[in-house]
Amino acid sequence: MADPSTLFNSEKLTYRAYRINDLENILALHNDPVVQAGAMMDWVVPRSDSFCSTIVRWTAESPMFCVVELTETNAFVGYVSLRWEGLSTGRNAHVALALHRSFRGKGYGSE
């Protein structure tokens, strides 16, 4: 059995619940065209402040939405989420891992 005290941490990262002050970082992440191309199912376009309502809805409706931070500095790395797709929950899900550009290619996605 896994040690439950390590469920919210990996070697270098902490996974924590979303907080309202994370909106600015998540909106900036979704204004990165590479993130949009991989994470969104619509057009790659600049996201305005009105997109924040979509982010808030995701965090409220997702069975899991975790902000990812560097454990040592609490720097925002990105997020990982599990979201239901379509009308039926429990049958189709979307797993998302979105990392800020400065943290890509460093192995954090595999922790």
Side-chain angles (χ1 to χ4, degrees):
M1 175 186 271
D3 178 0
S5 68
T6 63
L7 288 176
F8 303 133
N9 298 81
S10 64
E11 185 178 335
K12 298 174 186 168
L13 303 174
T14 298
Y15 312 94
R16 64 162 176 80
Y18 161 82
R19 298 178 192 138
I20 194 70
N21 60 356
D22 295 317
L23 264 174
E24 186 177 323
N25 284 325
I26 296 171
L27 179 61
L29 193 59
H30 278 276
N31 271 304
D32 181 331
V34 174
V35 170
Q36 280 193 41
M40 302 300 293
M41 296 189 184
D42 59 356
W43 299 100
V44 175
V45 297
R47 303 291 175 178
S48 69
D49 288 345
S50 66
F51 190 70
C52 289
S53 63
T54 300
I55 296 167
V56 170
R57 182 175 45 80
W58 286 344
T59 64
E61 295 175 357
S62 297
M64 184 196 77
F65 191 102
C66 295
V67 170
V68 181
E69 294 180 327
L70 285 180
T71 301
E72 191 173 296
T73 64
N74 295 334
F76 177 83
V77 173
Y79 70 84
V80 60
S81 69
L82 176 67
R83 295 194 308 263
W84 301 127
E85 293 292 328
L87 298 175
S88 64
T89 59
R91 296 193 74 189
N92 298 308
H94 175 84
V95 176
L97 172 62
L99 301 178
H100 187 276
R101 185 178 298 247
S102 63
F103 295 104
R104 294 181 204 142
K106 299 183 183 207
Y108 295 133
S110 63
E111 279 203 31

